[in-house]
Amino acid sequence: MIPERLAALRQEMEKRDIAVYIVPTADFHESEYVGEYFKARRFITGFTGSAGTAVITRTKAGLWTDGRYFVQAAKQLEGTTVTLYRMGEEHVPTVDEYVEQTLKEGGTIGFDGRVVNGRWGAKLQQIAEKKHGKLYVQEDLIGQIWKDRPPMSKEPVWILDEAYSGRSTKDKLAAVREKMKEKGAEVHLLASLYDIAWLLNVRGNDISYVPVVLSYLALTQEQCIWFLQEEVVDDTLREYLQKNGITTRPYEAFYEYVKTLENQTILLNRAVVNTKICNNLPESAQMIDAEDPTLEMKAVKNETEISNTRKAHVKDAVAMCRFMYWLKKNVGKIPMTEISASDYLESLRREQEGLLDLSFDTICGYADHGAIVHYAATPESDVPLKPEGLLLVDSGGHYLEGTTDITRTFALGPVTEEMKADFTRVCRSNMNLANARFLYGCSGMNLDIIAREPFWEAGLDFKHGTGHGVGYVLNVHEGPNAFRYKGTEDRPGGAVFEEGMVTTDEPGIYIEGKYGIRLENELVCQKGEKNEYGQFMYFENLTYVPFDLDAIDPKQMTEVEKKRLNDYHANVYKVVSPYLQGEELAWLKEATRAI
């Protein structure tokens, strides 16, 4: 199937004299996860992971993806003629390097200008010009060959009440307009679906597990124009928009609108706004290429959001604790597989009041499947759970009160000493980071070493960030805050931790062919004491679920580390015990015992 699709794409490339065609994992908004309509890279390679870029030439095809997906991609690309390029590995070229090496003199680089951001598009333009070539970006060639492509999503839109958002739309718009004034911008173009949803206090369902609305937004001091599929605007939403001074226009009209911005100073983030939009801006317009002001505004949760998020985590903890009790009690006694266990956990979450949806597709990997960082069980890969070894479950929910993301690894029975040693190392790492005290001004780059030290001292590591920001009833992955030891293009030194930022703490270890272990909590940054040395900060743990003590080796922990784990478990019991009774409550008491 994939070889035939590649052949059809190459025919289209030949008609247009395109030498290299690039298919990223993207929609028109640089979203991390995309709707079914936008899964062009999956269509052309067969790889189903959430991150990766395909590059197709007349004779070769390659897929670039990161360390989370090396194992999964290697399996899914078998027999496709697509070569896996492991990003970040020694001697592996980047996509841009490969394109430059492959492109011949006078050659043409092609891509759909709506799915490549403006910054990357400009780099590809430079590569083409170096070879005296050009770009071909006006057509979606995958769309030419994808005959049964799903339609673009048009799901209903709903309003997030101020009781949950904690801040009115008018207030948010005023704050962004103030930032525009500071930067000297007359117009702000916003393409990020998360930022638009946050700014307007609206939510939708146009991406699975990400409650956003396919749309663009243009903001001036006088106008706020929301470009969306207008069929989704009902009377309630129309009245709400009018009250907040927001007008609507058709989704596709945005591309023509930007052409009218003659002689305007425009604030936009070219790392998010796509190439076609950037190309449509008038030459007389002046661009301020900078992070969207909403990026940090939405990352710093207000008091209402934090209070609500705590409530969401209590609900989630009740579901997770009941799942852990059920799993430990029944494994080996009743039929149970990765998929059936995942489904049972979802049913427990859906019993909680205010659950809107899962926050992502649950990862439930038993034994060697746990070593696939973003494993997704299918009917073909699903395996029975046995009363032995380790089961990794990474899951979460969107509640009206907030978004949760938690990973627990469970001992389903006897585990080896190697497993215990690795599990204990991961637990130490998680607890050490959660208990960090630091001066204001630190970023995740400063703090990541705290989590990695138990690994690095043993010559080990894990090939993913230690933690990511979490949206509020939005994308479960949110910036700019993160724990990682490498910077990004926009923030080479990482983002400074501000009071109210919510970030995951999720170290792991993955032994290919054997097992995977990851332990993940959410942390909210808080202000501690202020003294002559400055403002100290600390993290409050928002996740209230036991770590499986059956996989812990206390001998490998210092007294300080044992106390941290015991204190955490004492708090888990205090928070969750009022919601359990009978056998479940007795189990929780044992599961949170002091070691």
Side-chain angles (χ1 to χ4, degrees), residues 161-177:
D161 192 271
E162 205 174 318
Y164 298 107
S165 71
R167 193 175 181 185
S168 72
T169 302
K170 282 183 178 175
D171 186 39
K172 290 179 178 182
L173 287 169
V176 175
R177 284 177 167 135

Side-chain angles (χ1 to χ4, degrees), residues 13-286:
M13 290 167 61
E14 195 169 345
K15 287 178 194 173
R16 295 158 180 82
D17 197 27
I18 294 170
V20 180
Y21 197 75
I22 301 169
V23 185
T25 305
D27 56 15
F28 304 157
H29 308 271
E30 201 70 12
S31 304
E32 178 187 12
Y33 300 107
V34 299
E36 293 300 314
Y37 174 86
F38 295 102
K39 292 184 177 177
R41 190 227 60 225
R42 182 182 72 180
F43 173 84
I44 202 64
T45 65
F47 169 60
T48 61
S50 68
T53 300
V55 179
I56 297 97
T57 71
R58 299 288 183 86
T59 57
K60 295 178 182 176
L63 172 82
W64 278 252
T65 193
D66 62 63
R68 295 172 298 168
Y69 293 110
F70 289 170
V71 178
Q72 178 183 338
K75 287 183 179 177
Q76 291 184 328
L77 295 182
E78 285 175 7
T80 64
T81 72
V82 179
T83 301
L84 173 60
Y85 289 86
R86 294 173 169 82
M87 290 167 60
E89 296 289 277
E90 201 172 356
H91 307 306
V92 174
T94 65
V95 169
D96 290 357
E97 288 167 348
Y98 178 85
V99 170
E100 186 167 350
Q101 291 162 11
T102 304
L103 189 69
K104 292 179 178 167
E105 190 71 16
T108 298
I109 302 170
F111 55 85
D112 178 357
R114 299 169 299 174
V115 298
V116 167
N117 69 61
R119 237 178 253 178
W120 188 19
K123 285 182 183 174
L124 292 168
Q125 176 76 48
Q126 289 172 355
I127 291 171
E129 287 174 357
K130 265 192 207 174
K131 298 288 183 82
H132 304 98
K134 61 182 180 179
L135 296 185
Y136 188 98
V137 302
Q138 58 267 42
E139 274 186 292
D140 171 15
L141 295 198
I142 299 295
Q144 298 287 328
I145 65 171
W146 192 352
K147 301 307 180 189
D148 58 348
R149 188 175 201 164
M152 201 177 287
S153 178
K154 293 181 189 177
E155 289 290 310
V157 181
W158 52 280
I159 299 158
L160 185 67
D161 192 271
E162 205 174 318
Y164 298 107
S165 71
R167 193 175 181 185
S168 72
T169 302
K170 282 183 178 175
D171 186 39
K172 290 179 178 182
L173 287 169
V176 175
R177 284 177 167 135
E178 195 56 40
K179 290 288 185 186
M180 288 168 62
K181 279 183 189 173
E182 289 174 17
K183 291 181 177 291
E186 297 163 284
V187 183
H188 177 33
L189 300 180
L190 196 53
S192 163
L193 302 183
Y194 324 125
D195 293 64
I196 293 169
W198 177 87
L199 182 60
L200 303 185
N201 283 330
V202 295
R203 298 295 188 269
N205 190 31
D206 283 336
I207 301 176
S208 295
Y209 311 119
V210 187
V212 292
V213 184
L214 282 174
S215 57
Y216 304 96
L217 189 124
L219 187 65
T220 68
Q221 293 300 330
E222 299 79 30
Q223 284 186 302
C224 179
I225 310 171
W226 193 20
F227 296 79
L228 77 165
Q229 299 175 95
E230 291 182 299
E231 306 96 297
V232 303
V233 181
D234 61 16
D235 291 343
T236 303
L237 182 60
R238 190 172 289 108
E239 183 184 339
Y240 168 79
L241 296 174
Q242 286 171 352
K243 187 178 77 174
N244 286 285
I246 302 161
T247 58
T248 65
R249 292 192 195 175
Y251 181 57
E252 287 296 334
F254 191 67
Y255 293 94
E256 291 303 312
Y257 167 80
V258 300
K259 290 179 181 178
T260 70
L261 301 176
E262 298 275 357
N263 302 307
Q264 300 285 300
T265 304
I266 302 166
L267 172 63
L268 78 168
N269 184 355
R270 288 171 69 238
V272 178
V273 173
N274 70 50
T275 295
K276 183 174 180 179
I277 293 168
C278 293
N279 288 350
N280 279 10
L281 291 170
E283 284 187 21
S284 62
Q286 183 180 337

Side-chain angles (χ1 to χ4, degrees), residues 283-548:
E283 284 187 21
S284 62
Q286 183 180 337
M287 270 197 286
I288 302 171
D289 181 13
E291 281 184 350
D292 297 317
T294 44
L295 180 72
E296 192 157 312
M297 289 179 187
K298 79 177 189 298
V300 178
K301 277 43 177 184
N302 59 49
E303 288 183 14
T304 300
E305 289 173 317
I306 292 169
S307 174
N308 282 334
T309 297
R310 290 190 188 103
K311 293 173 187 173
H313 276 278
V314 173
K315 293 178 179 183
D316 210 57
V318 172
M320 279 297 300
C321 287
R322 292 183 63 203
F323 173 74
M324 188 173 176
Y325 163 76
W326 170 86
L327 182 70
K328 304 276 282 186
K329 179 185 175 185
N330 292 304
V331 66
K333 297 174 185 173
I334 62 173
M336 199 183 289
T337 70
E338 292 168 328
I339 290 177
S340 71
S342 174
D343 289 347
Y344 184 70
L345 174 56
E346 180 176 347
S347 74
L348 292 173
R349 275 201 172 93
R350 294 200 180 276
E351 289 176 14
Q352 299 300 314
E353 186 182 356
L355 183 84
L356 301 168
D357 197 0
L358 302 184
S359 52
F360 54 96
D361 197 9
T362 299
I363 296 165
C364 187
Y366 177 56
D368 59 327
H369 287 169
I372 303 171
V373 179
H374 276 206
Y375 171 73
T378 64
E380 294 75 33
S381 70
D382 191 26
V383 294
L385 305 185
K386 301 174 185 176
E388 62 184 22
L390 298 171
L391 174 70
L392 186 155
V393 180
D394 188 347
S395 65
H398 289 300
Y399 299 82
L400 272 170
E401 296 89 353
T403 296
T404 67
D405 185 2
I406 173 174
T407 307
R408 287 295 181 267
T409 303
F410 306 105
L412 300 188
V415 291
T416 66
E417 289 304 309
E418 180 191 19
M419 290 174 180
K420 275 195 171 186
D422 283 337
F423 190 101
T424 307
R425 182 174 287 109
V426 176
C427 184
R428 289 169 54 216
S429 168
N430 178 289
M431 287 283 101
N432 290 352
L433 181 56
N435 283 276
R437 297 291 183 272
F438 54 97
L439 278 167
Y440 176 77
C442 285
S443 73
M445 286 182 70
N446 303 119
L447 302 176
D448 190 72
I449 179 62
I450 299 172
R452 291 192 191 262
E453 187 176 15
F455 296 91
W456 287 359
E457 67 186 11
L460 300 168
D461 195 24
F462 48 93
K463 291 183 181 296
H464 57 73
T466 305
H468 55 82
V470 180
Y472 184 84
V473 199
L474 276 172
N475 191 9
V476 72
H477 297 151
E478 180 179 273
N481 45 306
F483 295 114
R484 59 166 74 93
Y485 66 89
K486 295 177 181 175
T488 61
E489 186 178 350
D490 280 334
R491 294 184 184 242
V496 169
F497 276 105
E498 302 285 351
E499 181 181 28
M501 284 181 167
V502 176
T503 316
T504 64
D505 171 8
E506 49 179 311
I509 191 163
Y510 311 94
I511 311 300
E512 189 174 343
K514 289 186 174 182
Y515 57 85
I517 300 163
R518 185 163 64 252
L519 300 173
E520 175 186 20
N521 286 356
E522 284 184 29
L523 311 175
V524 60
C525 186
Q526 301 282 21
K527 281 184 178 175
E529 73 167 308
K530 188 174 185 179
N531 58 24
E532 69 270 29
Y533 300 106
Q535 175 67 60
F536 279 87
M537 312 293 285
Y538 70 96
F539 295 116
E540 172 193 340
N541 226 318
L542 292 171
T543 307
Y544 316 111
V545 178
F547 294 120
D548 194 340

